[in-house]
Amino acid sequence: MKKDKVYLLEDLHDEIQRLEFQDQVWADETKTLWEKAQFSHCDHILDLGCGPGFASMELARSIKAGGKVTALDSTLEYLEFLKQKIQKENISNLHTLHSPIENAPFENEQFDGVFARMVLLFIKDLEQALEKIFQSMRPGGRLAISDFHSYRSSFIMSPHSPKLEKILDIQHNFFLRHSCDLEIARKLPELLMDLGFDIMSLDPIQKIGKPQNQYWTWVEIFLHKFIPQLIEEKEITKTLADEFWLEWNTRKKDPKTFFTTPTFLNIVAKKP
Ligand SMILES: C[S@@+](CC[C@H](N)C(=O)[O-])C[C@H]1O[C@@H](n2cnc3c(N)ncnc32)[C@H](O)[C@@H]1O
């Protein structure tokens, strides 16, 4: 497995669909984050690790023609998908940039705002990336981050689900071994302050998943993609996967079932 493709399965079409659904599930919390960051009409915003760009398009619409969005990602296929969308929907204030953030060809003090949702957890040299972000922002610029705070310890099924616990332990270790930190947001406020950012807001985001609600479906779609990958990587056996799905589907029919979703932290930081 390539280090930078932790959960990015070969079937990119499926992954784009998953990210589109994920974008819809967290759209309200994302809009609140943008409002808190005061992204406004004439701003130049960087969408860092934009993926297929569902949020970039919404951001470009919301800051209107007076502002512009640069959608940066290290995965070319996502940007090709986004470029087609930009053309089809005739969005004039949204541009793509193919680069890892660490080597992005930015000028200093270029951006009024930076948005990074579920991307910092994948970045290996986080401090270098944050420094790059800091330099690329103008004084007074706002950085809006949404990332996992406590995936393993906050994602809990009731009644207790031993097979889910087992899969989550394996997932946690698997991500760590691939340098992906599912608790990244715990470290960010301190790192940002050390760089010179002021923290404007910290908001934990957690929901209740119930069978068939959107949070349940969000998790289920991820597991449907990720568990076959764990089997392929010989992290789990097919037998364990089958036992897990049997337990999951039994829970799904039980009206007493719910889970708490993995907790995100939404952060707004300002460059003085
Ligand atoms: C889970 S997706 C999130 C996409 C998007 N931010 C969203 O919320 O829908 C993570 C994205 O980060 C990108 N990524 C990972 N490491 C990166 C890096 N060093 N520089 C730029 N993009 C990176 C991946 O290519 C992927 O598109």
Side-chain angles (χ1 to χ4, degrees):
M1 156 176 297
K2 288 186 191 132
K3 255 193 148 193
D4 58 343
K5 296 208 167 180
V6 166
Y7 70 87
L8 188 62
L9 305 181
E10 279 95 64
D11 191 341
L12 202 71
H13 179 70
D14 268 11
E15 183 57 6
I16 289 174
Q17 280 188 335
R18 191 188 75 79
L19 288 171
E20 183 170 24
F21 182 70
Q22 177 167 272
D23 177 73
Q24 288 161 11
V25 170
W26 298 107
D28 288 348
E29 287 71 21
T30 300
K31 280 202 182 120
T32 304
L33 178 64
W34 293 344
E35 279 163 20
K36 286 204 170 190
Q38 297 178 334
F39 289 166
S40 71
H41 288 179
C42 43
D43 280 351
H44 183 187
I45 312 277
L46 171 69
D47 184 0
L48 163 58
C50 62
F54 298 108
S56 320
M57 286 187 283
E58 190 51 40
L59 198 49
R61 281 183 210 109
S62 73
I63 59 168
K64 309 211 171 80
K68 61 178 174 174
V69 174
T70 297
L72 171 140
D73 205 282
S74 52
T75 305
L76 184 60
E77 292 86 342
Y78 284 153
L79 296 181
E80 280 166 355
F81 172 87
L82 177 56
K83 272 188 198 161
Q84 283 179 13
K85 281 262 185 190
I86 292 172
Q87 235 177 1
K88 207 167 145 198
E89 297 185 26
N90 201 15
I91 308 173
S92 60
N93 62 341
L94 172 56
H95 307 277
T96 61
L97 180 58
H98 179 225
S99 172
I101 177 64
E102 297 87 331
N103 311 319
F106 297 145
E107 288 162 26
N108 283 349
E109 304 191 356
Q110 186 177 347
F111 299 110
D112 302 292
V114 176
F115 169 59
R117 185 178 63 181
M118 289 185 231
V119 55
L120 296 180
L121 82 153
F122 295 109
I123 292 181
K124 270 133 226 128
D125 193 342
L126 182 65
E127 290 183 33
Q128 188 195 340
L130 292 177
E131 221 172 296
K132 182 91 184 175
I133 294 167
F134 187 82
Q135 280 165 8
S136 75
M137 290 169 66
R138 71 159 175 82
R142 285 87 55 213
L143 169 62
I145 297 173
S146 183
D147 227 315
F148 287 116
H149 175 272
S150 43
Y151 197 102
R152 177 66 191 91
S153 55
S154 57
F155 181 10
I156 297 167
M157 174 87 83
S158 298
H160 182 64
S161 168
K163 299 290 181 226
L164 177 64
E165 294 287 316
K166 203 162 185 173
I167 296 280
L168 290 179
D169 280 339
I170 293 164
Q171 177 189 357
H172 183 82
N173 293 328
F174 179 78
F175 269 66
L176 269 186
R177 265 187 282 118
H178 290 87
S179 313
C180 292
D181 186 352
L182 289 169
E183 296 174 348
I184 183 85
R186 295 182 192 192
K187 299 176 190 145
L188 288 171
E190 184 185 357
L191 289 173
L192 294 170
M193 281 190 265
D194 287 349
L195 272 172
F197 279 105
D198 294 328
I199 301 296
M200 310 306 289
S201 60
L202 297 175
D203 293 299
I205 308 287
Q206 189 176 43
K207 303 286 178 185
I208 295 294
K210 298 261 306 162
Q212 269 90 45
N213 82 2
Q214 59 173 347
Y215 305 109
W216 182 285
T217 308
W218 171 61
V219 167
E220 191 174 69
I221 289 174
F222 175 76
L223 291 171
H224 269 301
K225 289 184 66 70
F226 188 59
I227 286 179
Q229 186 171 339
L230 287 178
I231 299 172
E232 201 182 305
E233 302 279 333
K234 303 205 183 330
E235 296 282 338
I236 62 169
T237 59
K238 168 93 173 46
T239 309
L240 174 58
D242 290 345
E243 286 168 3
F244 164 76
W245 284 118
L246 188 66
E247 191 175 272
W248 180 270
N249 290 323
T250 308
R251 290 282 190 284
K252 207 170 158 177
K253 289 185 206 122
D254 179 352
K256 297 188 204 98
T257 299
F258 71 94
F259 59 69
T260 48
T261 58
T263 310
F264 294 99
L265 192 61
N266 281 1
I267 303 172
V268 176
K270 189 173 185 173
K271 179 170 173 175

